[in-house]
Amino acid sequence: MSIATLHSLRSVQLQVPTLTESTDFYSEVWGLSVVEQDHDDTWLRGTGENHHVLQLTRAERNGLGAISFAVRTPAEVDEAARRLALRGIPMLTEPGALDQAGGGYGIRFADPEGRVIELVADVHAVKPLDRDRPVPIGVTHVVLNTIDIDRAVAFYTDVLGMRVSDWSEHQMAFLRCNTDHHSIAFNQAAWTSVNHVAYEMPSMNHFMRGIGSLKQQGVTPLWGPGRHGPGNNTFSYFADPAGLVCEYTSDVAQVVEDQWLCKVWRRVPELSDLWGTAGPPSKDVRRHMAGIEDAGVFADRPELAAAYVSMQGRDLMEVAR
């Protein structure tokens, strides 16, 4: 049994050495709005109801701060903590009120590669903004580079209850927590890092207008526009001032649980871009998406890595018993 029923991907925290430049980019160019800010952090929202969808944190190098998933009630947070304890998975923060922008009640723990996962309820809501403008509603998915795609998928399905929607051969896996085709995807890689963060545009028209707006400001795509095979979503990838990849996307496939059949897609140009407008990703795109090696919380908490090493080889479902 998974530890919780995830409602949605709520926000992503990115660590950057370019806090001022990145804040300016996401607020003045990308289309997000600053809701709170201090010396070391900026919280930005989209046009949706989430208090923030992106947190930028000052750091010496690029990295992933945390991935935040919404659950519906504080009681679900408490139950998730109980189930984590039964599995022997250490928590970074016990369930309780979160002392952070937007508040909320939640817990934090690490996955087997040191990524921080937050489960949270009762985060402050904000009034939705006008969706006529070609700017993001919020974060819709995160693609993560992993050194062990099978173990990553096992953890996120067995522990977090996500479902595999599709595979791209044995190179990528697309996982969902609601009707969206994917909220998390894993890419087999040489090291652990963020591949890219995708932001949902209200429609394909907004998607194209957003690309046009960026071009008018001198920001051109690394790859795109195009339409992916897995997920059927439109895509256009850009680099932010820190060199991290951000994506405009729309029209992601919607999954009907009792009708969807997971398939394995071939990794060929005509399926990575159904339109044929973008062509295959260049070496420059792949370099940006590879990122830099990121040990996450394990860099400062090696005992957490040791806890997962001790669980290596045990089936995750066995840990739950």
Side-chain angles (χ1 to χ4, degrees):
M1 181 181 293
S2 63
I3 64 168
T5 299
L6 306 183
H7 176 266
S8 59
L9 174 65
R10 195 187 64 81
S11 66
V12 178
Q13 179 189 14
L14 297 176
Q15 298 171 334
V16 295
T18 56
L19 180 61
T20 300
E21 296 87 349
S22 294
T23 296
D24 290 344
F25 171 82
Y26 282 104
S27 60
E28 298 178 10
V29 179
W30 194 246
L32 302 180
S33 303
V34 174
V35 285
E36 294 193 42
Q37 192 170 17
D38 61 26
H39 181 266
D40 291 322
D41 294 273
T42 303
W43 293 265
L44 302 105
R45 64 167 295 183
T47 59
E49 296 181 352
N50 283 329
H51 175 271
H52 63 277
V53 299
L54 175 64
Q55 178 182 350
L56 299 171
T57 298
R58 190 187 307 277
E60 293 184 358
R61 55 186 289 179
N62 289 345
L64 176 66
I67 301 172
S68 180
F69 292 99
V71 297
R72 294 190 180 278
T73 67
E76 291 182 68
V77 173
D78 291 337
E79 179 61 15
R82 186 186 72 83
R83 294 181 184 182
L84 281 171
L86 288 176
R87 289 175 177 262
I89 297 173
M91 280 175 280
L92 300 173
T93 59
E94 298 289 331
L98 299 176
D99 182 18
Q100 61 185 25
Y105 184 93
I107 55 172
R108 284 189 166 198
F109 55 97
D111 77 3
E113 291 180 279
R115 303 179 192 90
V116 176
I117 301 170
E118 178 182 86
L119 304 185
V120 62
D122 289 355
V123 176
H124 299 161
V126 290
K127 184 178 179 180
L129 301 177
D130 179 12
R131 291 193 181 181
D132 288 339
R133 297 182 301 131
V135 297
I137 298 169
V139 172
T140 182
H141 68 256
V142 183
V143 176
L144 303 166
N145 295 320
T146 176
I147 61 172
D148 188 341
I149 195 168
D150 293 316
R151 192 178 192 208
V153 169
F155 184 89
Y156 279 71
T157 54
D158 292 343
V159 176
L160 289 171
M162 302 188 79
R163 284 86 68 200
V164 177
S165 297
D166 284 313
W167 286 85
S168 178
E169 296 187 1
H170 195 234
Q171 179 64 40
M172 291 191 71
F174 300 86
L175 282 68
R176 67 185 184 273
C177 63
N178 50 32
T179 59
D180 287 349
H181 178 269
H182 57 286
S183 298
I184 296 289
F186 287 102
N187 176 61
Q188 181 67 44
W191 53 72
T192 300
S193 61
V194 177
N195 184 288
H196 70 268
V197 178
Y199 299 80
E200 180 188 6
M201 303 297 273
S203 70
M204 187 165 62
N205 183 52
H206 290 82
F207 165 79
M208 292 303 296
R209 287 169 56 204
I211 295 170
S213 175
L214 292 179
K215 283 190 172 183
Q216 290 169 16
Q217 299 177 78
V219 181
T220 57
L222 290 173
W223 185 34
R227 185 182 287 277
H228 288 312
N232 197 47
N233 53 299
T234 64
F235 69 86
S236 194
Y237 298 93
F238 300 82
D240 71 11
L244 294 166
V245 179
C246 46
E247 175 191 6
Y248 276 168
T249 189
S250 67
D251 297 350
V252 66
Q254 295 298 296
V255 172
V256 178
E257 287 293 339
D258 60 353
Q259 299 177 17
W260 187 267
L261 295 177
C262 175
K263 65 184 290 187
V264 179
W265 294 75
R266 291 181 300 124
R267 292 182 63 79
V268 292
E270 59 267 29
L271 295 180
S272 64
D273 175 20
L274 298 176
W275 289 344
T277 53
S282 67
K283 289 183 178 180
D284 186 46
V285 172
R286 295 185 185 280
R287 177 179 62 82
H288 276 88
M289 288 184 170
I292 58 176
E293 188 170 3
D294 180 14
V297 72
F298 291 169
D300 297 320
R301 299 280 301 276
E303 75 278 6
L304 295 177
Y308 278 108
V309 169
S310 70
M311 290 161 52
Q312 186 78 39
R314 283 192 288 164
D315 185 271
L316 285 167
M317 297 304 291
E318 288 296 322
V319 174
R321 297 186 181 132

